[in-house]
Every structure is written in C-alpha cells, then in structure tokens.
Amino acid sequence: MRFSGFRIIAEALTGQKGWRPLWRDPDPQPAYDIVIVGGGGHGLATAYYLATVFRQARIAVLEKGWLGSGNIGRNTTIIRSNYLLPGNEPFYEFSMKLWEGLEQELNFNAMVSQRGILNLCHTDAQRDAYRRRGNAMILAGADAELLGPDQVRAMYPFLNFGNARFPIKGGLLQRRAGTARHDGVAWGYARGADLRGVDLIQNCEVTGFRIEGGRVRGVETSRGYIAAGKVGVAVAGSSSRVMAQAGMRLPIESHALQAFVSEGLKRSIDGVITFGAGHFYISQSDKGGLVFGGDIDGYNSYAQRGNLPVIEDVAEGGMALMPALGRARVLRIWGGIMDMSMDGSPIIDRTSVEGLYLNAGWCYGGFKATPASGYAFAHLIATGTPHPTATAYRLDRFARGHLIDEKGAGAQPNLH
Amino acid sequence: MLIPHPLLGPRDAQEFTYLGDASLIDRPDGMADGAEAAFCDYVYLRDNPAGVHRELWFHEFGDRSWLVVTRNTVTHEILGAELAADVARRGR
Ligand SMILES: Cc1cc2nc3c(=O)[nH]c(=O)nc-3n(C[C@H](O)[C@H](O)[C@H](O)COP(=O)(O)OP(=O)(O)OC[C@H]3O[C@@H](n4cnc5c(N)ncnc54)[C@H](O)[C@@H]3O)c2cc1C
C-alpha cells in the first residue's frame, strides 16, 4: 500500500474503506538469520536498513510490549546535529542527512520539520564556546550560525531579554535542525521493514541468551526459544537488564527523564529554543501544545515517571527564559527511562560474545540519532565492521581511555 | 521521595545530591595486582538493577553526611537509610 495525495482523495471518496494495517502481526519462526531485540526507533531502523541497504534476509524484531511503547514514543522530538567532538559530530550530521530524505525513502509522513534550533548564550564565555562548537559543526559539513542579541530578539521578541542574572547575549542557530513526529518515525520504519519481509513480533520479551562456545545461538523469549545467527540488542533504558542475561555489566545507569506538554495555544514558537543558563528547552507542536523539558531526575530509575523537584526546576528555567509561559496550563507530564552512559555518548559495537551486538547508551538524545543509529548498527551486523561515522562508539573505549565526553563531566551519568 | 535520615528523621530527597551505587565505597587497592582492570570496573561498570538498589546520597543542604539509601528503582519506594560511615566501617 503506497501513500500518495491521489490515494487520500480516492479514499475520501470511497468512505476510507481501503486502508489496511501498516504491518503484519506474525508469530515467531523457530529460527532467523538476524534477531534484533527491542522494537523502538533504533531496533526498527536497524531492521529496515538490514533489509534494504545491506540486503539481509530472515530478520525478526522482538519487542516486549507494542512497537513504539518505549522512548521512541515518549521523547520531545528534537532532531539536530550540533555536537562538538569529532567522535560525535560526523555521526549526527549523517543522521541529519538521513532525516532530510527519510519521508521520501519510507513513503511515510514522519512530519520532519526543519524549523531550526537556537541555543541561547548568556555569558561571553558561553558565546566563545558556541563559536567553537559552530566551527566544529561546519567542519563536519553541518550548518551553524552565531546570532547576536538583536537577531535573537527579531526571532523571538517574547524572551526575557531584561533578565539581570541571565541576559541573552546571542545564540547558536542550526537552521536544518528541528522536530519530527516521534511515533510516526517508528511506524514508518516498522512499515518499511515489514514490507521487506522483516517479522515484527510484539509482546515477545527476551528473557535470556543461549550462548555456546562463546557464540550466541539464539534467545529465550516469553514466546519460546528463537534460534538466531546474529543478535543485535537495542533496548535503550533496559540495556543493563538485557545484557546482564549474557553475563555483562555495562558502563550505563538507567535514569528517568520527564517531558511536559501544555494546552493547545496559538502559534508563537516557530523553532526549538534552549536556555543556556539552566536546563530548559521548548518547542511548539503542530497542534499548538508547548512541548518542553529539562534535566533527568538524577537517580537510578526504571519507573517511567519522575518526581516533583525536577518539575519545579523545569518550571523555574522556563519562567526565567519566557515569563509568558506562566500563563499556560500543563496538560500532560510523562517519563521515559534513559540509558545514561558513563561519558554521555552511545555504544554501537560487538561484544565479547561472538554474534552478539550492542546498541546502547543514548542518554536523553537518541531520537535524533534514530536513522544513523539504525544504519550504523545494520552496517556493523551485516559487514562486521563499524560504519565510518560510528568508529568511536566502542564498548572498550572506557578501558582504553578514549572517552567521548561532550560535557567533560566524567564518569557520573547524572551530570551528562 | 522522603529519605529517612538516621539522625535527622525524614528529609526531602531534594536536600541531597546523588552519587550512585553504594559499591563505590569499596575502592580497589591501587597497589594490588590487576589494579588497572579493577579501577576500570570500579569507575565505569554498574549493576544498574531494576528493583532493590543500595546507593550513595549526600546530604548537601543538610548535615553534609553521606548515606547509603536502599531504594526500589522500579517503584521509588525507599526501604531504609544508614550512615555511609557505618557501612564502610562494618565492611560490606
Ligand atoms: C522525555 C524524553 C524526551 C526526550 N527528548 C529527546 C529529544 O528531544 N531528542 C532526542 O534526540 N532524543 C530524545 N530523547 C531520547 C530518545 O527518545 C531515546 O534516546 C531513543 O528513543 C532510544 O532509542 P529507541 O527509540 O530504540 O528506544 P525505545 O523506544 O525505548 O526502544 C527500546 C525497546 O526495547 C524494548 N525492550 C526492552 N527490554 C526488552 C526485552 N527484554 N525484550 C524485548 N524488548 C525489550 C522496549 O519495550 C522498547 O520498546 C528523549 C527521551 C525521553 C524519555
């Protein structure tokens, strides 16, 4: 079933009776060549690229709940490639380029909207740091512009320019950044993978690995044993739990991150804005809701909900930046579980078990990475070598001292 | 979350900062054989369990003591707290 303008008109004229489910709901086969654990954005994208770009067959995605029930459907939808370090920036820019062609490729409306992200700076030192970051971005082929306070005022006149403690001194703008419909991305990849014969198996929790002679042979699941030539794990906040079943301890802590949405309001915020003097960011959804968030809660959690102190902190950050926010009513708050790594950067690598691959450590920023993460993980699983933009994301980098620590915060996950 | 401080009674978790797994009390011996590998595990690897977790909290906006708090990471229920100094002396 292809989507097109013609199709929509035809369906409208015939009572919308021709639409079909976007993917099959198959029972698991006894064996696959490749099993991907986790039906979030990264797992689905991996399966899609394995089946398309890398021409692999007999692939299954095993998801313990329903597709998109994890972080892929819980995030605040920001996509961007404004990183500093050489291990990161080329990867995120690769992801940005994949976003730019994603909807055509998938024939699916993921509402990719390049509305721009503006990181505000409030001190001279912060402006210098943004200048450096912008230059690093441009070197990696991304776009970046440093704005002065007048240019920021022209874009967003309602910000608190008169704030004595946190004066707005300008900002770093990436125009190609923006937002995408988060669960639309999951659905698009799921449909694309299903169309190429990938079995998407829901309500199928992986409960163990069968490992013989240092090689993975298959996975134990809530729906029985499934044999597999190769197994790729992409379970985000559950990474430590799942890999513990293979006897591994990871450089990861799981933490809760909350998101907030207000009632629908008239269009006022065109792009994404981040506050530089506290942790607060905001955008406006196409339905008009203000979508905002801030820091992780800061202690180990698998609860998929947070607590009041961070809600207060986010509200304070929002009020310092945009006092008009105080008039908006919050409609919904929810949480997701972040796989916070020890240097704040991800892992896409082989493991000590032959045939078992790991994709984890995305912290609070893995949505933007979805296309490149899937592509790079598929590359690794299919070819045995890392994708050129993902060579730094090794599991042994912690032992070797080659950390990718954007914030310079050290091995303290709640500070990244 | 309310943390039952052994000396001060129930205190708001907001008064504390969080460090992480209480196994961080057991710092490896830097002079022992295999110290490099032991330190790598100590600094970077965590059990990160879903369920009961013993963890270090610092009463920064209070009496500045370190506590070992036992907490369920799935429900956020706090099951107990003791002074980290007592835990360290006792050996774990
Ligand atoms: C509130 C919030 C805001 C965020 N904002 C942004 C943002 O603006 N920009 C950005 O780039 N990123 C953001 N993120 C981060 C981003 O959402 C995640 O990094 C990313 O979605 C993680 O990859 P995923 O989609 O594969 O994860 P998930 O969707 O969580 O997928 C993992 C899947 O694995 C499944 N699973 C777990 N255990 C098992 C098992 N044993 N067997 C089978 N399946 C299992 C889970 O059910 C889940 O569906 C945000 C996250 C949250 C929670």
Side-chain angles (χ1 to χ4, degrees), chain A residues 240 249-251 254 298-303 305 342 398 403 412 414, chain B residues 1 18-19 40 44-50 53 71 73-76:
Chain A
S240 298
R249 289 173 84 217
L250 299 182
S254 295
Y299 41 81
N300 288 41
S301 174
Y302 285 91
R305 63 177 171 78
M342 285 288 166
F398 301 93
L403 305 192
Q412 188 61 41
N414 61 356
Chain B
M1 292 190 298
Y18 179 81
L19 185 69
C40 181
Y44 295 117
L45 301 188
R46 298 289 182 269
D47 288 339
N48 191 21
H53 189 224
R71 194 177 55 93
T73 59
V74 178
T75 61
H76 293 167

PDB file of all heavy atoms in Angstrom, chain A residues 240 249-251 254 298-303 305 342 398 403 412 414, chain B residues 1 18-19 40 44-50 53 71 73-76:
ATOM      1  N   SER A 240      21.074  -2.550  30.499  1.00  0.00           N
ATOM      2  CA  SER A 240      21.798  -3.273  31.553  1.00  0.00           C
ATOM      3  C   SER A 240      21.086  -4.568  31.912  1.00  0.00           C
ATOM      4  O   SER A 240      21.725  -5.597  32.123  1.00  0.00           O
ATOM      5  CB  SER A 240      21.920  -2.412  32.812  1.00  0.00           C
ATOM      6  OG  SER A 240      22.661  -1.257  32.550  1.00  0.00           O
ATOM      7  N   ARG A 249      28.255  -6.600  32.433  1.00  0.00           N
ATOM      8  CA  ARG A 249      27.944  -5.360  33.156  1.00  0.00           C
ATOM      9  C   ARG A 249      28.316  -4.214  32.229  1.00  0.00           C
ATOM     10  O   ARG A 249      29.384  -4.222  31.618  1.00  0.00           O
ATOM     11  CB  ARG A 249      28.742  -5.262  34.450  1.00  0.00           C
ATOM     12  CG  ARG A 249      28.291  -6.248  35.525  1.00  0.00           C
ATOM     13  CD  ARG A 249      29.257  -6.190  36.690  1.00  0.00           C
ATOM     14  NE  ARG A 249      28.952  -5.111  37.615  1.00  0.00           N
ATOM     15  CZ  ARG A 249      29.882  -4.388  38.232  1.00  0.00           C
ATOM     16  NH1 ARG A 249      31.153  -4.599  37.993  1.00  0.00           N
ATOM     17  NH2 ARG A 249      29.525  -3.442  39.080  1.00  0.00           N
ATOM     18  N   LEU A 250      27.461  -3.217  32.149  1.00  0.00           N
ATOM     19  CA  LEU A 250      27.676  -2.138  31.177  1.00  0.00           C
ATOM     20  C   LEU A 250      28.066  -0.836  31.875  1.00  0.00           C
ATOM     21  O   LEU A 250      27.728  -0.624  33.043  1.00  0.00           O
ATOM     22  CB  LEU A 250      26.403  -1.898  30.362  1.00  0.00           C
ATOM     23  CG  LEU A 250      25.880  -3.066  29.531  1.00  0.00           C
ATOM     24  CD1 LEU A 250      24.644  -2.631  28.748  1.00  0.00           C
ATOM     25  CD2 LEU A 250      26.949  -3.592  28.583  1.00  0.00           C
ATOM     26  N   PRO A 251      28.721   0.059  31.141  1.00  0.00           N
ATOM     27  CA  PRO A 251      29.013   1.400  31.671  1.00  0.00           C
ATOM     28  C   PRO A 251      27.782   2.307  31.556  1.00  0.00           C
ATOM     29  O   PRO A 251      27.828   3.362  30.923  1.00  0.00           O
ATOM     30  CB  PRO A 251      30.166   1.873  30.781  1.00  0.00           C
ATOM     31  CG  PRO A 251      29.960   1.159  29.494  1.00  0.00           C
ATOM     32  CD  PRO A 251      29.333  -0.163  29.824  1.00  0.00           C
ATOM     33  N   SER A 254      20.481   3.592  34.428  1.00  0.00           N
ATOM     34  CA  SER A 254      19.171   3.972  33.893  1.00  0.00           C
ATOM     35  C   SER A 254      18.573   5.087  34.745  1.00  0.00           C
ATOM     36  O   SER A 254      18.546   4.983  35.972  1.00  0.00           O
ATOM     37  CB  SER A 254      18.242   2.756  33.875  1.00  0.00           C
ATOM     38  OG  SER A 254      18.750   1.791  32.974  1.00  0.00           O
ATOM     39  N   GLY A 298      17.894  12.205  37.969  1.00  0.00           N
ATOM     40  CA  GLY A 298      19.213  12.210  38.609  1.00  0.00           C
ATOM     41  C   GLY A 298      19.529  11.051  39.525  1.00  0.00           C
ATOM     42  O   GLY A 298      20.573  11.048  40.170  1.00  0.00           O
ATOM     43  N   TYR A 299      18.627  10.069  39.656  1.00  0.00           N
ATOM     44  CA  TYR A 299      18.929   8.871  40.450  1.00  0.00           C
ATOM     45  C   TYR A 299      18.462   7.673  39.633  1.00  0.00           C
ATOM     46  O   TYR A 299      17.548   7.798  38.800  1.00  0.00           O
ATOM     47  CB  TYR A 299      18.195   8.912  41.800  1.00  0.00           C
ATOM     48  CG  TYR A 299      16.784   9.415  41.673  1.00  0.00           C
ATOM     49  CD1 TYR A 299      15.766   8.555  41.263  1.00  0.00           C
ATOM     50  CD2 TYR A 299      16.482  10.756  41.867  1.00  0.00           C
ATOM     51  CE1 TYR A 299      14.484   9.019  41.063  1.00  0.00           C
ATOM     52  CE2 TYR A 299      15.188  11.234  41.659  1.00  0.00           C
ATOM     53  CZ  TYR A 299      14.209  10.360  41.264  1.00  0.00           C
ATOM     54  OH  TYR A 299      12.941  10.816  41.036  1.00  0.00           O
ATOM     55  N   ASN A 300      19.064   6.504  39.865  1.00  0.00           N
ATOM     56  CA  ASN A 300      18.690   5.314  39.089  1.00  0.00           C
ATOM     57  C   ASN A 300      17.187   5.091  39.153  1.00  0.00           C
ATOM     58  O   ASN A 300      16.596   5.131  40.237  1.00  0.00           O
ATOM     59  CB  ASN A 300      19.386   4.079  39.647  1.00  0.00           C
ATOM     60  CG  ASN A 300      20.866   4.070  39.344  1.00  0.00           C
ATOM     61  OD1 ASN A 300      21.508   5.113  39.443  1.00  0.00           O
ATOM     62  ND2 ASN A 300      21.394   2.932  38.974  1.00  0.00           N
ATOM     63  N   SER A 301      16.577   4.833  38.000  1.00  0.00           N
ATOM     64  CA  SER A 301      15.138   4.615  37.981  1.00  0.00           C
ATOM     65  C   SER A 301      14.719   3.799  36.771  1.00  0.00           C
ATOM     66  O   SER A 301      15.233   3.987  35.671  1.00  0.00           O
ATOM     67  CB  SER A 301      14.402   5.959  37.960  1.00  0.00           C
ATOM     68  OG  SER A 301      13.010   5.733  37.810  1.00  0.00           O
ATOM     69  N   TYR A 302      13.781   2.898  37.002  1.00  0.00           N
ATOM     70  CA  TYR A 302      13.117   2.177  35.915  1.00  0.00           C
ATOM     71  C   TYR A 302      11.617   2.458  35.964  1.00  0.00           C
ATOM     72  O   TYR A 302      10.810   1.667  35.478  1.00  0.00           O
ATOM     73  CB  TYR A 302      13.337   0.672  36.067  1.00  0.00           C
ATOM     74  CG  TYR A 302      14.728   0.200  35.685  1.00  0.00           C
ATOM     75  CD1 TYR A 302      15.743   0.117  36.626  1.00  0.00           C
ATOM     76  CD2 TYR A 302      15.010  -0.172  34.378  1.00  0.00           C
ATOM     77  CE1 TYR A 302      17.009  -0.331  36.276  1.00  0.00           C
ATOM     78  CE2 TYR A 302      16.268  -0.623  34.021  1.00  0.00           C
ATOM     79  CZ  TYR A 302      17.265  -0.695  34.970  1.00  0.00           C
ATOM     80  OH  TYR A 302      18.515  -1.135  34.610  1.00  0.00           O
ATOM     81  N   ALA A 303      11.215   3.567  36.582  1.00  0.00           N
ATOM     82  CA  ALA A 303       9.792   3.780  36.887  1.00  0.00           C
ATOM     83  C   ALA A 303       8.991   4.416  35.745  1.00  0.00           C
ATOM     84  O   ALA A 303       7.776   4.478  35.821  1.00  0.00           O
ATOM     85  CB  ALA A 303       9.655   4.622  38.141  1.00  0.00           C
ATOM     86  N   ARG A 305       8.477   7.336  35.287  1.00  0.00           N
ATOM     87  CA  ARG A 305       7.864   8.568  35.765  1.00  0.00           C
ATOM     88  C   ARG A 305       8.885   9.243  36.664  1.00  0.00           C
ATOM     89  O   ARG A 305       9.766   8.579  37.219  1.00  0.00           O
ATOM     90  CB  ARG A 305       6.568   8.293  36.531  1.00  0.00           C
ATOM     91  CG  ARG A 305       6.781   7.490  37.785  1.00  0.00           C
ATOM     92  CD  ARG A 305       5.481   7.308  38.566  1.00  0.00           C
ATOM     93  NE  ARG A 305       5.698   6.354  39.648  1.00  0.00           N
ATOM     94  CZ  ARG A 305       6.305   6.650  40.789  1.00  0.00           C
ATOM     95  NH1 ARG A 305       6.745   7.866  41.005  1.00  0.00           N
ATOM     96  NH2 ARG A 305       6.481   5.723  41.710  1.00  0.00           N
ATOM     97  N   MET A 342      28.492   6.374  30.749  1.00  0.00           N
ATOM     98  CA  MET A 342      29.459   6.997  31.646  1.00  0.00           C
ATOM     99  C   MET A 342      30.166   8.211  31.034  1.00  0.00           C
ATOM    100  O   MET A 342      30.818   8.962  31.746  1.00  0.00           O
ATOM    101  CB  MET A 342      30.494   5.956  32.074  1.00  0.00           C
ATOM    102  CG  MET A 342      29.941   4.989  33.088  1.00  0.00           C
ATOM    103  SD  MET A 342      29.721   5.793  34.689  1.00  0.00           S
ATOM    104  CE  MET A 342      28.702   4.596  35.513  1.00  0.00           C
ATOM    105  N   PHE A 398      36.077   2.872  27.311  1.00  0.00           N
ATOM    106  CA  PHE A 398      36.208   3.257  28.712  1.00  0.00           C
ATOM    107  C   PHE A 398      37.502   2.682  29.284  1.00  0.00           C
ATOM    108  O   PHE A 398      38.242   3.364  29.972  1.00  0.00           O
ATOM    109  CB  PHE A 398      34.973   2.801  29.491  1.00  0.00           C
ATOM    110  CG  PHE A 398      33.712   3.389  28.938  1.00  0.00           C
ATOM    111  CD1 PHE A 398      32.962   2.717  27.985  1.00  0.00           C
ATOM    112  CD2 PHE A 398      33.305   4.655  29.332  1.00  0.00           C
ATOM    113  CE1 PHE A 398      31.825   3.280  27.449  1.00  0.00           C
ATOM    114  CE2 PHE A 398      32.170   5.232  28.794  1.00  0.00           C
ATOM    115  CZ  PHE A 398      31.425   4.537  27.843  1.00  0.00           C
ATOM    116  N   LEU A 403      37.387   8.342  25.884  1.00  0.00           N
ATOM    117  CA  LEU A 403      36.008   8.729  26.152  1.00  0.00           C
ATOM    118  C   LEU A 403      35.556   9.818  25.181  1.00  0.00           C
ATOM    119  O   LEU A 403      36.374  10.535  24.612  1.00  0.00           O
ATOM    120  CB  LEU A 403      35.875   9.229  27.589  1.00  0.00           C
ATOM    121  CG  LEU A 403      36.363   8.280  28.683  1.00  0.00           C
ATOM    122  CD1 LEU A 403      35.915   8.778  30.037  1.00  0.00           C
ATOM    123  CD2 LEU A 403      35.880   6.876  28.461  1.00  0.00           C
ATOM    124  N   GLN A 412      30.026  10.192  35.623  1.00  0.00           N
ATOM    125  CA  GLN A 412      28.935  10.499  36.546  1.00  0.00           C
ATOM    126  C   GLN A 412      27.681  10.727  35.701  1.00  0.00           C
ATOM    127  O   GLN A 412      27.390  11.850  35.288  1.00  0.00           O
ATOM    128  CB  GLN A 412      29.321  11.748  37.359  1.00  0.00           C
ATOM    129  CG  GLN A 412      28.390  12.098  38.483  1.00  0.00           C
ATOM    130  CD  GLN A 412      28.304  10.990  39.521  1.00  0.00           C
ATOM    131  OE1 GLN A 412      29.304  10.376  39.879  1.00  0.00           O
ATOM    132  NE2 GLN A 412      27.101  10.714  39.974  1.00  0.00           N
ATOM    133  N   ASN A 414      24.563  11.133  35.962  1.00  0.00           N
ATOM    134  CA  ASN A 414      23.522  12.150  36.172  1.00  0.00           C
ATOM    135  C   ASN A 414      24.016  13.568  35.924  1.00  0.00           C
ATOM    136  O   ASN A 414      23.246  14.515  36.043  1.00  0.00           O
ATOM    137  CB  ASN A 414      22.861  12.013  37.547  1.00  0.00           C
ATOM    138  CG  ASN A 414      23.838  12.189  38.692  1.00  0.00           C
ATOM    139  OD1 ASN A 414      25.039  12.340  38.464  1.00  0.00           O
ATOM    140  ND2 ASN A 414      23.337  12.165  39.907  1.00  0.00           N
TER     141      ASN A 414
ATOM    142  N   MET B   1      10.308  12.090  47.053  1.00  0.00           N
ATOM    143  CA  MET B   1      10.829  10.993  47.857  1.00  0.00           C
ATOM    144  C   MET B   1      11.323  11.553  49.199  1.00  0.00           C
ATOM    145  O   MET B   1      11.982  12.580  49.238  1.00  0.00           O
ATOM    146  CB  MET B   1      12.007  10.314  47.122  1.00  0.00           C
ATOM    147  CG  MET B   1      11.566   9.567  45.866  1.00  0.00           C
ATOM    148  SD  MET B   1      12.875   8.542  45.147  1.00  0.00           S
ATOM    149  CE  MET B   1      14.103   9.782  44.716  1.00  0.00           C
ATOM    150  N   TYR B  18      22.937  12.996  44.502  1.00  0.00           N
ATOM    151  CA  TYR B  18      23.029  11.558  44.298  1.00  0.00           C
ATOM    152  C   TYR B  18      24.371  11.214  43.666  1.00  0.00           C
ATOM    153  O   TYR B  18      24.780  11.844  42.702  1.00  0.00           O
ATOM    154  CB  TYR B  18      21.892  11.143  43.359  1.00  0.00           C
ATOM    155  CG  TYR B  18      21.869   9.683  43.020  1.00  0.00           C
ATOM    156  CD1 TYR B  18      21.309   8.762  43.895  1.00  0.00           C
ATOM    157  CD2 TYR B  18      22.385   9.222  41.810  1.00  0.00           C
ATOM    158  CE1 TYR B  18      21.266   7.419  43.580  1.00  0.00           C
ATOM    159  CE2 TYR B  18      22.338   7.886  41.486  1.00  0.00           C
ATOM    160  CZ  TYR B  18      21.785   6.983  42.367  1.00  0.00           C
ATOM    161  OH  TYR B  18      21.734   5.657  42.059  1.00  0.00           O
ATOM    162  N   LEU B  19      25.046  10.223  44.214  1.00  0.00           N
ATOM    163  CA  LEU B  19      26.303   9.792  43.593  1.00  0.00           C
ATOM    164  C   LEU B  19      26.129   8.534  42.765  1.00  0.00           C
ATOM    165  O   LEU B  19      26.533   8.487  41.610  1.00  0.00           O
ATOM    166  CB  LEU B  19      27.385   9.578  44.647  1.00  0.00           C
ATOM    167  CG  LEU B  19      28.756   9.240  44.046  1.00  0.00           C
ATOM    168  CD1 LEU B  19      29.345  10.447  43.323  1.00  0.00           C
ATOM    169  CD2 LEU B  19      29.724   8.730  45.091  1.00  0.00           C
ATOM    170  N   CYS B  40      39.083   0.171  36.395  1.00  0.00           N
ATOM    171  CA  CYS B  40      38.218   0.388  35.234  1.00  0.00           C
ATOM    172  C   CYS B  40      36.796  -0.075  35.569  1.00  0.00           C
ATOM    173  O   CYS B  40      35.820   0.644  35.331  1.00  0.00           O
ATOM    174  CB  CYS B  40      38.775  -0.360  34.038  1.00  0.00           C
ATOM    175  SG  CYS B  40      37.773  -0.121  32.583  1.00  0.00           S
ATOM    176  N   TYR B  44      33.691   2.614  35.894  1.00  0.00           N
ATOM    177  CA  TYR B  44      32.759   2.663  34.762  1.00  0.00           C
ATOM    178  C   TYR B  44      31.605   1.670  34.792  1.00  0.00           C
ATOM    179  O   TYR B  44      30.570   1.932  34.187  1.00  0.00           O
ATOM    180  CB  TYR B  44      33.532   2.466  33.453  1.00  0.00           C
ATOM    181  CG  TYR B  44      34.488   3.590  33.170  1.00  0.00           C
ATOM    182  CD1 TYR B  44      35.859   3.369  33.099  1.00  0.00           C
ATOM    183  CD2 TYR B  44      34.022   4.889  32.997  1.00  0.00           C
ATOM    184  CE1 TYR B  44      36.744   4.415  32.850  1.00  0.00           C
ATOM    185  CE2 TYR B  44      34.895   5.936  32.748  1.00  0.00           C
ATOM    186  CZ  TYR B  44      36.252   5.692  32.674  1.00  0.00           C
ATOM    187  OH  TYR B  44      37.103   6.722  32.441  1.00  0.00           O
ATOM    188  N   LEU B  45      31.779   0.503  35.401  1.00  0.00           N
ATOM    189  CA  LEU B  45      30.741  -0.521  35.254  1.00  0.00           C
ATOM    190  C   LEU B  45      29.778  -0.521  36.446  1.00  0.00           C
ATOM    191  O   LEU B  45      30.191  -0.334  37.589  1.00  0.00           O
ATOM    192  CB  LEU B  45      31.365  -1.910  35.081  1.00  0.00           C
ATOM    193  CG  LEU B  45      32.301  -2.047  33.882  1.00  0.00           C
ATOM    194  CD1 LEU B  45      32.711  -3.503  33.690  1.00  0.00           C
ATOM    195  CD2 LEU B  45      31.680  -1.508  32.604  1.00  0.00           C
ATOM    196  N   ARG B  46      28.508  -0.734  36.169  1.00  0.00           N
ATOM    197  CA  ARG B  46      27.481  -0.715  37.222  1.00  0.00           C
ATOM    198  C   ARG B  46      26.530  -1.906  37.033  1.00  0.00           C
ATOM    199  O   ARG B  46      26.251  -2.293  35.904  1.00  0.00           O
ATOM    200  CB  ARG B  46      26.651   0.580  37.125  1.00  0.00           C
ATOM    201  CG  ARG B  46      27.434   1.856  37.320  1.00  0.00           C
ATOM    202  CD  ARG B  46      27.884   2.075  38.753  1.00  0.00           C
ATOM    203  NE  ARG B  46      28.597   3.336  38.886  1.00  0.00           N
ATOM    204  CZ  ARG B  46      29.913   3.489  38.756  1.00  0.00           C
ATOM    205  NH1 ARG B  46      30.682   2.440  38.499  1.00  0.00           N
ATOM    206  NH2 ARG B  46      30.473   4.667  38.883  1.00  0.00           N
ATOM    207  N   ASP B  47      25.980  -2.396  38.156  1.00  0.00           N
ATOM    208  CA  ASP B  47      24.952  -3.441  38.055  1.00  0.00           C
ATOM    209  C   ASP B  47      23.646  -2.869  37.510  1.00  0.00           C
ATOM    210  O   ASP B  47      22.928  -3.509  36.772  1.00  0.00           O
ATOM    211  CB  ASP B  47      24.690  -4.078  39.417  1.00  0.00           C
ATOM    212  CG  ASP B  47      25.846  -4.967  39.854  1.00  0.00           C
ATOM    213  OD1 ASP B  47      26.618  -5.394  38.969  1.00  0.00           O
ATOM    214  OD2 ASP B  47      25.981  -5.221  41.066  1.00  0.00           O
ATOM    215  N   ASN B  48      23.307  -1.653  37.927  1.00  0.00           N
ATOM    216  CA  ASN B  48      22.128  -0.950  37.404  1.00  0.00           C
ATOM    217  C   ASN B  48      20.861  -1.807  37.469  1.00  0.00           C
ATOM    218  O   ASN B  48      20.176  -2.001  36.460  1.00  0.00           O
ATOM    219  CB  ASN B  48      22.417  -0.512  35.956  1.00  0.00           C
ATOM    220  CG  ASN B  48      21.385   0.452  35.409  1.00  0.00           C
ATOM    221  OD1 ASN B  48      20.675   1.107  36.165  1.00  0.00           O
ATOM    222  ND2 ASN B  48      21.304   0.537  34.098  1.00  0.00           N
ATOM    223  N   PRO B  49      20.527  -2.356  38.654  1.00  0.00           N
ATOM    224  CA  PRO B  49      19.404  -3.295  38.725  1.00  0.00           C
ATOM    225  C   PRO B  49      18.041  -2.611  38.657  1.00  0.00           C
ATOM    226  O   PRO B  49      17.908  -1.440  39.031  1.00  0.00           O
ATOM    227  CB  PRO B  49      19.580  -3.938  40.108  1.00  0.00           C
ATOM    228  CG  PRO B  49      20.230  -2.861  40.914  1.00  0.00           C
ATOM    229  CD  PRO B  49      21.142  -2.113  39.964  1.00  0.00           C
ATOM    230  N   ALA B  50      17.050  -3.356  38.169  1.00  0.00           N
ATOM    231  CA  ALA B  50      15.650  -2.925  38.280  1.00  0.00           C
ATOM    232  C   ALA B  50      15.116  -3.608  39.524  1.00  0.00           C
ATOM    233  O   ALA B  50      14.947  -4.814  39.552  1.00  0.00           O
ATOM    234  CB  ALA B  50      14.865  -3.348  37.046  1.00  0.00           C
ATOM    235  N   HIS B  53      18.081  -1.378  45.190  1.00  0.00           N
ATOM    236  CA  HIS B  53      19.370  -0.780  44.850  1.00  0.00           C
ATOM    237  C   HIS B  53      19.904  -0.058  46.083  1.00  0.00           C
ATOM    238  O   HIS B  53      19.182   0.720  46.698  1.00  0.00           O
ATOM    239  CB  HIS B  53      19.162   0.230  43.712  1.00  0.00           C
ATOM    240  CG  HIS B  53      20.428   0.763  43.112  1.00  0.00           C
ATOM    241  ND1 HIS B  53      20.597   2.098  42.827  1.00  0.00           N
ATOM    242  CD2 HIS B  53      21.571   0.146  42.737  1.00  0.00           C
ATOM    243  CE1 HIS B  53      21.796   2.280  42.284  1.00  0.00           C
ATOM    244  NE2 HIS B  53      22.407   1.105  42.221  1.00  0.00           N
ATOM    245  N   ARG B  71      16.742   1.527  48.058  1.00  0.00           N
ATOM    246  CA  ARG B  71      15.572   2.067  47.358  1.00  0.00           C
ATOM    247  C   ARG B  71      15.201   1.119  46.220  1.00  0.00           C
ATOM    248  O   ARG B  71      16.062   0.472  45.628  1.00  0.00           O
ATOM    249  CB  ARG B  71      15.925   3.449  46.786  1.00  0.00           C
ATOM    250  CG  ARG B  71      14.775   4.313  46.301  1.00  0.00           C
ATOM    251  CD  ARG B  71      15.310   5.669  45.828  1.00  0.00           C
ATOM    252  NE  ARG B  71      16.338   5.475  44.826  1.00  0.00           N
ATOM    253  CZ  ARG B  71      16.110   5.467  43.513  1.00  0.00           C
ATOM    254  NH1 ARG B  71      14.912   5.727  43.048  1.00  0.00           N
ATOM    255  NH2 ARG B  71      17.089   5.242  42.650  1.00  0.00           N
ATOM    256  N   THR B  73      14.228   0.772  42.535  1.00  0.00           N
ATOM    257  CA  THR B  73      14.312   1.640  41.359  1.00  0.00           C
ATOM    258  C   THR B  73      13.090   1.516  40.450  1.00  0.00           C
ATOM    259  O   THR B  73      12.926   2.305  39.531  1.00  0.00           O
ATOM    260  CB  THR B  73      15.569   1.311  40.519  1.00  0.00           C
ATOM    261  OG1 THR B  73      15.506  -0.056  40.098  1.00  0.00           O
ATOM    262  CG2 THR B  73      16.840   1.536  41.299  1.00  0.00           C
ATOM    263  N   VAL B  74      12.233   0.532  40.701  1.00  0.00           N
ATOM    264  CA  VAL B  74      11.034   0.386  39.872  1.00  0.00           C
ATOM    265  C   VAL B  74       9.866   1.185  40.451  1.00  0.00           C
ATOM    266  O   VAL B  74       9.063   1.758  39.714  1.00  0.00           O
ATOM    267  CB  VAL B  74      10.645  -1.101  39.725  1.00  0.00           C
ATOM    268  CG1 VAL B  74       9.371  -1.250  38.900  1.00  0.00           C
ATOM    269  CG2 VAL B  74      11.782  -1.879  39.062  1.00  0.00           C
ATOM    270  N   THR B  75       9.795   1.246  41.788  1.00  0.00           N
ATOM    271  CA  THR B  75       8.658   1.925  42.427  1.00  0.00           C
ATOM    272  C   THR B  75       9.052   3.246  43.108  1.00  0.00           C
ATOM    273  O   THR B  75       8.184   3.999  43.537  1.00  0.00           O
ATOM    274  CB  THR B  75       8.051   1.030  43.522  1.00  0.00           C
ATOM    275  OG1 THR B  75       9.072   0.792  44.504  1.00  0.00           O
ATOM    276  CG2 THR B  75       7.576  -0.294  42.959  1.00  0.00           C
ATOM    277  N   HIS B  76      10.365   3.503  43.256  1.00  0.00           N
ATOM    278  CA  HIS B  76      10.899   4.649  44.001  1.00  0.00           C
ATOM    279  C   HIS B  76      10.650   4.525  45.506  1.00  0.00           C
ATOM    280  O   HIS B  76      10.853   5.488  46.251  1.00  0.00           O
ATOM    281  CB  HIS B  76      10.354   5.987  43.494  1.00  0.00           C
ATOM    282  CG  HIS B  76      10.818   6.322  42.103  1.00  0.00           C
ATOM    283  ND1 HIS B  76      10.265   7.326  41.360  1.00  0.00           N
ATOM    284  CD2 HIS B  76      11.775   5.782  41.316  1.00  0.00           C
ATOM    285  CE1 HIS B  76      10.850   7.388  40.179  1.00  0.00           C
ATOM    286  NE2 HIS B  76      11.776   6.456  40.128  1.00  0.00           N
TER     287      HIS B  76
END
